[in-house]
Amino acid sequence: MPLLFAEFLALCHKIHFGSSNKQATFSIQEASIFNETIHHNMSIKPIYYLSIFSIFTGFTSMAQTISSRLVDAKTQKGIPYATVQYGEYNGVITNEEGRFSFVLEDGISRPDSIYITSMGYEKKGFALEQMQDSVITLNARAIELSGVYVFDKELEVDDIIQKMIENIPKNVNKETIKQRFFLRKSELANMQKVDFGFEKSTIKELNKELMDSIARAIPQHASHYTESFGDLYKNDTEYKLNIIKAADLYDKKDVGSFEDLAEHMEDIFKQNVKPGSYLKIKSGIFSEKIQVDSILDTMDDERMEQVEKVKAQVKKDSVSGLVDSQRWQFEEMLSQLYYKEDTKLDFVEKPNRYEFQLAGYAEIDNAGVYVIDFWPKRSSADFKGRLFINIEDYAIMRLDFTNTKRLRNFRLLGITYRKTMYKGTMRFAKLPTGKYDLQFMDLSDGRYFGVDRPLKVVEKNKHVKGRRKQNELKLNIDFRMNMTTKYELVVFEQDNISKSEFTSYKEDKTVRATYMPRYNPEFWKGYNIMEPNQAIRGFTVEEED
């Protein structure tokens, strides 16, 4: 009986804090749904072609760090994901709050001007001294609705989309490349409700107070942030990683509380359930018999295995699992690029499901682009958004999208699983080869998971005189939670390499992430990264008494 709770607690832990194994499964009826939930919430615990110089891994006393915040001149709201360029190939991206910072290394000439560009705003140059201000403003600029660029001929919007699709093989980079990157993964879990619905128990220790204490022990809000800086080696769909530095922010105390609860439940089980008994477990229409002796024989092994799994989850991003975990995250993210076979974004594969409208013209990286809005033509389409398509070669240079409905809505026998949010921004840079590769990605994935069903456990023993029924527990479980995973990926540098260089590179799987119980702004000092948002800057673990 307590093993059921141990499994449930393990499930709560894995959903809340993640699993190191993307194929984690659960020994309950709805394992496939739980597996998908875990698959999209992997860890316990976010691209710009900008630099021809190596990014130093140390901080020198002569280096100068520039930090500021970019805001709309009228609304004073932060301007997210703007380009701050301080050299022909040097620059950074503002975060979702408009914050940015960059390092001017000793020995590198100081720029005369720093240029800031963002879609819908005027491009503006600043002297280096002006960048010392805590706030910098940009004026909004409407997208041009009349043709100010040179065309071979005017095209209808459907013709532009068709040419974009036809030119994907020519425009998309599949050559071997090395990319200097910064990746941030933010995981947020909010428990809406945890109620075991205690109704009856014949075991004194297994009472309502214990059930309520278990519910209270499950964190109502959990957050985990993983940041990494390094090089991504790409050979089409093959990836290798060189992690130079990584950080892990989460609360270790949440892990220990689950271990203690599982051990306490097992002690109660051993003290009260008789050898030779069997358990009749019923949840809804499902019923199952389990021999108690087999449970007792394997209980210690199972508990130790669960403990080891939890500990492995804690270590996953701080020992050899870091490289494998990060590589898998890249595989997941890059599989969602609009031209990939398994992407959720289906406007390329199924354009007939969407309406397209030319909204105007704009400029990205000194290139004219068509600005095209899209939305579902029929209920079978899932997304709406905006495309920025190069006027000359029809390459997508930017893509903004969000789902218009739930991407999945499963509900059966008290189990609910929904994919509630899938939105993001992708930007692509033109390489010296004329091909385009990803330079920036912001991707948010939201899910809802719930269990609302009764659970009845009856202990029976035919070897005991009198009634076979020995003990009984009745619950009505109500468990609901929302989970959000957000990726922010910036590529600072892109260099074409040979396939032999890719093949010969060997990953260092001993690299460790630095665990941080609170955000430390000094950790990334001397590195060009995407600035953290307020939630990350304010992250701290409460000290134990």
Side-chain angles (χ1 to χ4, degrees), residues 459-474:
E459 177 198 355
K460 293 188 177 183
N461 193 315
K462 61 183 179 181
H463 304 294
V464 178
K465 291 183 179 181
R467 293 177 50 185
R468 289 189 177 183
K469 182 176 178 181
Q470 302 297 307
N471 287 298
E472 181 178 3
L473 174 68
K474 291 177 67 176

Side-chain angles (χ1 to χ4, degrees), residues 15-18 41-46 184-189 221-227 247-252 254-255 313-318 322 325-326 329 484-487 513-517 535-536 539 541:
I15 294 174
H16 219 102
F17 304 105
N41 194 34
M42 296 303 300
S43 73
I44 180 176
K45 338 287 148 227
R184 176 181 291 127
K185 182 180 181 181
S186 305
E187 294 176 289
L188 308 174
H221 306 283
S223 55
H224 180 85
Y225 305 99
T226 305
E227 298 178 331
D248 228 356
L249 286 80
Y250 67 99
D251 191 345
K252 285 184 176 180
D254 291 332
V255 178
Q313 291 166 11
V314 176
K315 294 178 180 178
K316 158 178 96 64
D317 284 330
S318 58
L322 173 63
S325 173
Q326 294 275 290
Q329 289 178 26
T484 301
T485 302
K486 179 181 177 69
Y487 295 97
T514 299
Y515 169 71
M516 294 194 294
I536 300 174
F539 179 86
V541 174

Side-chain angles (χ1 to χ4, degrees), residues 379-430:
S379 60
S380 57
D382 298 323
F383 296 95
K384 66 178 180 180
R386 174 165 281 187
L387 301 168
F388 299 83
I389 299 176
N390 190 297
I391 287 173
E392 295 184 356
D393 56 23
Y394 303 99
I396 291 182
M397 298 189 71
R398 174 172 168 171
L399 163 62
D400 302 330
F401 62 91
T402 186
N403 59 304
T404 57
K405 62 181 182 180
R406 293 170 182 164
L407 298 186
R408 185 169 184 186
N409 190 15
F410 174 90
R411 185 175 177 83
L412 181 66
L413 302 174
I415 304 296
T416 303
Y417 176 72
R418 301 171 184 152
K419 290 186 69 68
T420 56
M421 177 178 65
Y422 195 79
K423 65 178 183 179
T425 293
M426 302 176 185
R427 294 189 192 177
F428 302 86
K430 194 170 188 176

